[in-house]
Amino acid sequence: MATGPASGGYVDDELLQKLGSLSTQALVDGLWVMGWPNAQINGSRPIAENMSVCGRAVTLNFVPARPDIMQDKPPGGESPEYEAFELCGPNEVLVMSSVGPWESVGGDIKFLRLMQRKLNGLVTDGSVRDTDEIIGYGFGCFAHSTTACQGPAAMQPWECNGVINCGGIVVRPGDAIVGDQDGVVVVPAKVAEKVYDIAHGREEIEDIVKEELSKNPGPPGKYYPFMSGKIKVESPLGQLLASKGITPENSNQFEGTANW
């Protein structure tokens, strides 16, 4: 059967750390500047305050329950979900594609193993149960909601580390997954370095603009918003950046310097 490769590349630990230092807004903006489609997993929210995730995606796809699916799925410890669990570690985020927002992808006893694996985080477009226990496990958990219901009656885990649809967003194994209080963003592995370069540059500029407006209050429109790769040197923003040592010679945010 013809199919493309599941993974689109590899994001090393150093780049992961750099991506995790940025806000999800900056990463979304970086992808937008490059012309990529929306990359935020819609509806996936942290189940507790101050949770975050940053890691390479390990993917798990659920399919609707059907008698033959339940019979043919590898049993017990050989189930695709436990295969996925064993691939997880401190630099991985398990991304679970549910069949619906209110269906449970797991809870206390299953996710105990993820704590033992020192998982960085879990992301799903479905729900989780045993919320207090999961919070106590210490890894970031982002879900549509929480529930008391079990999931097996509605769906079954079917494939580990394939290309999945999570919250309307494509996730490939190895993609960088970054989540904060605003949500979860999927950074495609193939362009992760470039996304970081653009997003980091944007955050630097936004910090400078905020500092200037704090010192000299006035309408933000003098400097903001701006389009990466299209800032004019002679504009008020261009002049402000020049005063801080940011010029077309050392930044790709100016007109004629875009390298994407």
Side-chain angles (χ1 to χ4, degrees):
M1 182 174 64
T3 184
S7 178
Y10 182 78
V11 179
D12 63 33
D13 293 350
E14 181 181 359
L15 181 54
L16 266 184
Q17 186 176 12
K18 292 196 295 184
L19 290 167
S21 72
L22 301 178
S23 67
T24 52
Q25 306 98 299
L27 295 172
V28 163
D29 288 352
L31 284 161
W32 170 71
V33 165
M34 295 173 63
W36 283 63
N38 177 45
Q40 179 169 326
I41 296 178
N42 295 317
S44 189
R45 307 291 303 161
I47 65 170
E49 291 184 358
N50 301 318
M51 280 188 166
S52 63
V53 297
C54 179
R56 288 177 290 269
V58 173
T59 65
L60 179 65
N61 193 43
F62 285 82
V63 297
R66 205 172 76 175
D68 59 330
I69 290 289
M70 298 180 70
Q71 292 168 2
D72 292 343
K73 179 182 73 69
E78 297 179 356
S79 171
E81 63 185 325
Y82 300 128
E83 178 186 2
F85 286 11
E86 297 307 305
L87 295 176
C88 294
N91 287 318
E92 279 73 47
V93 172
L94 179 59
V95 186
M96 308 172 84
S97 176
S98 174
V99 302
W102 300 105
E103 308 301 343
S104 171
V105 297
D108 182 15
I109 295 178
K110 286 185 178 180
F111 294 162
L112 172 64
R113 182 55 181 158
L114 295 178
M115 181 192 72
Q116 293 171 342
R117 295 290 303 169
K118 303 186 187 306
L119 171 84
N120 181 279
L122 183 156
V123 171
T124 181
D125 54 358
S127 294
V128 295
R129 64 198 303 244
D130 303 314
T131 308
D132 289 340
E133 286 80 2
I134 295 174
I135 292 172
Y137 286 160
F139 54 78
C141 182
F142 288 66
H144 173 80
S145 189
T146 59
T147 181
C149 297
Q150 295 186 18
M155 61 184 184
Q156 290 288 316
W158 186 249
E159 182 185 20
C160 166
N161 261 358
V163 178
I164 64 171
N165 173 352
C166 188
I169 302 301
V170 173
V171 184
R172 300 177 76 176
D175 284 347
I177 308 297
V178 181
D180 58 22
Q181 293 300 295
D182 283 330
V184 181
V185 173
V186 180
V187 181
K190 187 166 289 188
V191 293
E193 186 74 55
K194 186 61 63 180
V195 172
Y196 171 77
D197 189 33
I198 298 170
H200 179 254
R202 288 183 64 85
E203 280 213 336
E204 283 188 324
I205 292 173
E206 290 187 355
D207 287 344
I208 290 171
V209 169
K210 185 175 181 180
E211 179 185 27
E212 177 65 19
L213 292 174
S214 297
K215 291 179 180 177
N216 300 292
K222 182 177 181 180
Y223 307 111
Y224 188 88
F226 63 92
M227 174 66 83
S228 294
K230 293 188 178 180
I231 298 173
K232 295 183 181 296
V233 173
E234 68 276 10
S235 69
L237 177 56
Q239 294 175 32
L240 173 63
L241 295 178
S243 73
K244 304 294 183 179
I246 298 178
T247 69
E249 284 68 42
N250 58 26
S251 172
N252 62 2
Q253 302 288 318
F254 290 85
E255 191 172 55
T257 64
N259 55 356
W260 54 84

PDB file of all heavy atoms in Angstrom, residues 10 16 19 41 72 103 127 158 188:
ATOM      1  N   TYR A  10      13.744  15.114  12.352  1.00  0.00           N
ATOM      2  CA  TYR A  10      14.137  14.941  13.752  1.00  0.00           C
ATOM      3  C   TYR A  10      14.504  16.292  14.362  1.00  0.00           C
ATOM      4  O   TYR A  10      15.255  17.072  13.762  1.00  0.00           O
ATOM      5  CB  TYR A  10      15.328  13.987  13.872  1.00  0.00           C
ATOM      6  CG  TYR A  10      15.747  13.720  15.296  1.00  0.00           C
ATOM      7  CD1 TYR A  10      15.028  12.831  16.093  1.00  0.00           C
ATOM      8  CD2 TYR A  10      16.844  14.374  15.853  1.00  0.00           C
ATOM      9  CE1 TYR A  10      15.399  12.584  17.405  1.00  0.00           C
ATOM     10  CE2 TYR A  10      17.224  14.136  17.167  1.00  0.00           C
ATOM     11  CZ  TYR A  10      16.495  13.231  17.939  1.00  0.00           C
ATOM     12  OH  TYR A  10      16.854  13.005  19.240  1.00  0.00           O
ATOM     13  N   LEU A  16      14.869  21.617  20.685  1.00  0.00           N
ATOM     14  CA  LEU A  16      13.673  21.497  21.517  1.00  0.00           C
ATOM     15  C   LEU A  16      13.688  22.521  22.641  1.00  0.00           C
ATOM     16  O   LEU A  16      12.687  23.190  22.923  1.00  0.00           O
ATOM     17  CB  LEU A  16      13.588  20.095  22.133  1.00  0.00           C
ATOM     18  CG  LEU A  16      12.782  19.014  21.432  1.00  0.00           C
ATOM     19  CD1 LEU A  16      12.781  17.759  22.279  1.00  0.00           C
ATOM     20  CD2 LEU A  16      11.361  19.478  21.151  1.00  0.00           C
ATOM     21  N   LEU A  19      12.958  25.965  21.279  1.00  0.00           N
ATOM     22  CA  LEU A  19      11.543  26.123  20.952  1.00  0.00           C
ATOM     23  C   LEU A  19      10.712  26.291  22.217  1.00  0.00           C
ATOM     24  O   LEU A  19       9.785  27.107  22.272  1.00  0.00           O
ATOM     25  CB  LEU A  19      11.045  24.915  20.151  1.00  0.00           C
ATOM     26  CG  LEU A  19      11.572  24.782  18.722  1.00  0.00           C
ATOM     27  CD1 LEU A  19      11.258  23.401  18.163  1.00  0.00           C
ATOM     28  CD2 LEU A  19      10.981  25.861  17.820  1.00  0.00           C
ATOM     29  N   ILE A  41      -3.524  23.120  18.198  1.00  0.00           N
ATOM     30  CA  ILE A  41      -4.498  22.057  18.400  1.00  0.00           C
ATOM     31  C   ILE A  41      -5.708  22.655  19.108  1.00  0.00           C
ATOM     32  O   ILE A  41      -5.663  22.950  20.310  1.00  0.00           O
ATOM     33  CB  ILE A  41      -3.897  20.897  19.214  1.00  0.00           C
ATOM     34  CG1 ILE A  41      -2.754  20.253  18.417  1.00  0.00           C
ATOM     35  CG2 ILE A  41      -4.971  19.860  19.548  1.00  0.00           C
ATOM     36  CD1 ILE A  41      -2.051  19.129  19.150  1.00  0.00           C
ATOM     37  N   ASP A  72      -9.204  -7.829  16.861  1.00  0.00           N
ATOM     38  CA  ASP A  72      -7.960  -7.827  16.097  1.00  0.00           C
ATOM     39  C   ASP A  72      -6.855  -6.970  16.704  1.00  0.00           C
ATOM     40  O   ASP A  72      -5.682  -7.147  16.361  1.00  0.00           O
ATOM     41  CB  ASP A  72      -8.226  -7.350  14.662  1.00  0.00           C
ATOM     42  CG  ASP A  72      -9.070  -8.334  13.864  1.00  0.00           C
ATOM     43  OD1 ASP A  72      -9.174  -9.505  14.300  1.00  0.00           O
ATOM     44  OD2 ASP A  72      -9.627  -7.940  12.827  1.00  0.00           O
ATOM     45  N   GLU A 103     -14.603  11.752  24.940  1.00  0.00           N
ATOM     46  CA  GLU A 103     -14.197  10.365  25.165  1.00  0.00           C
ATOM     47  C   GLU A 103     -12.869  10.326  25.911  1.00  0.00           C
ATOM     48  O   GLU A 103     -11.931  11.050  25.589  1.00  0.00           O
ATOM     49  CB  GLU A 103     -14.072   9.623  23.835  1.00  0.00           C
ATOM     50  CG  GLU A 103     -15.292   9.724  22.932  1.00  0.00           C
ATOM     51  CD  GLU A 103     -16.563   9.193  23.568  1.00  0.00           C
ATOM     52  OE1 GLU A 103     -16.486   8.461  24.564  1.00  0.00           O
ATOM     53  OE2 GLU A 103     -17.650   9.526  23.060  1.00  0.00           O
ATOM     54  N   SER A 127     -10.707  13.648  26.214  1.00  0.00           N
ATOM     55  CA  SER A 127     -10.718  13.965  27.641  1.00  0.00           C
ATOM     56  C   SER A 127      -9.898  12.956  28.424  1.00  0.00           C
ATOM     57  O   SER A 127      -9.536  11.895  27.908  1.00  0.00           O
ATOM     58  CB  SER A 127     -12.168  13.990  28.159  1.00  0.00           C
ATOM     59  OG  SER A 127     -12.896  15.050  27.584  1.00  0.00           O
ATOM     60  N   TRP A 158      -5.427   2.121  18.113  1.00  0.00           N
ATOM     61  CA  TRP A 158      -5.251   1.299  16.922  1.00  0.00           C
ATOM     62  C   TRP A 158      -3.848   1.403  16.314  1.00  0.00           C
ATOM     63  O   TRP A 158      -3.327   0.425  15.806  1.00  0.00           O
ATOM     64  CB  TRP A 158      -6.290   1.661  15.870  1.00  0.00           C
ATOM     65  CG  TRP A 158      -6.270   0.758  14.677  1.00  0.00           C
ATOM     66  CD1 TRP A 158      -5.888   1.070  13.399  1.00  0.00           C
ATOM     67  CD2 TRP A 158      -6.620  -0.632  14.651  1.00  0.00           C
ATOM     68  NE1 TRP A 158      -5.991  -0.028  12.581  1.00  0.00           N
ATOM     69  CE2 TRP A 158      -6.440  -1.097  13.335  1.00  0.00           C
ATOM     70  CE3 TRP A 158      -7.074  -1.527  15.623  1.00  0.00           C
ATOM     71  CZ2 TRP A 158      -6.696  -2.403  12.955  1.00  0.00           C
ATOM     72  CZ3 TRP A 158      -7.329  -2.843  15.246  1.00  0.00           C
ATOM     73  CH2 TRP A 158      -7.140  -3.268  13.923  1.00  0.00           C
ATOM     74  N   PRO A 188       6.196  21.557  12.804  1.00  0.00           N
ATOM     75  CA  PRO A 188       6.665  20.464  11.955  1.00  0.00           C
ATOM     76  C   PRO A 188       8.182  20.317  12.021  1.00  0.00           C
ATOM     77  O   PRO A 188       8.924  21.295  11.916  1.00  0.00           O
ATOM     78  CB  PRO A 188       6.214  20.889  10.549  1.00  0.00           C
ATOM     79  CG  PRO A 188       5.047  21.796  10.790  1.00  0.00           C
ATOM     80  CD  PRO A 188       5.386  22.534  12.044  1.00  0.00           C
TER      81      PRO A 188
END
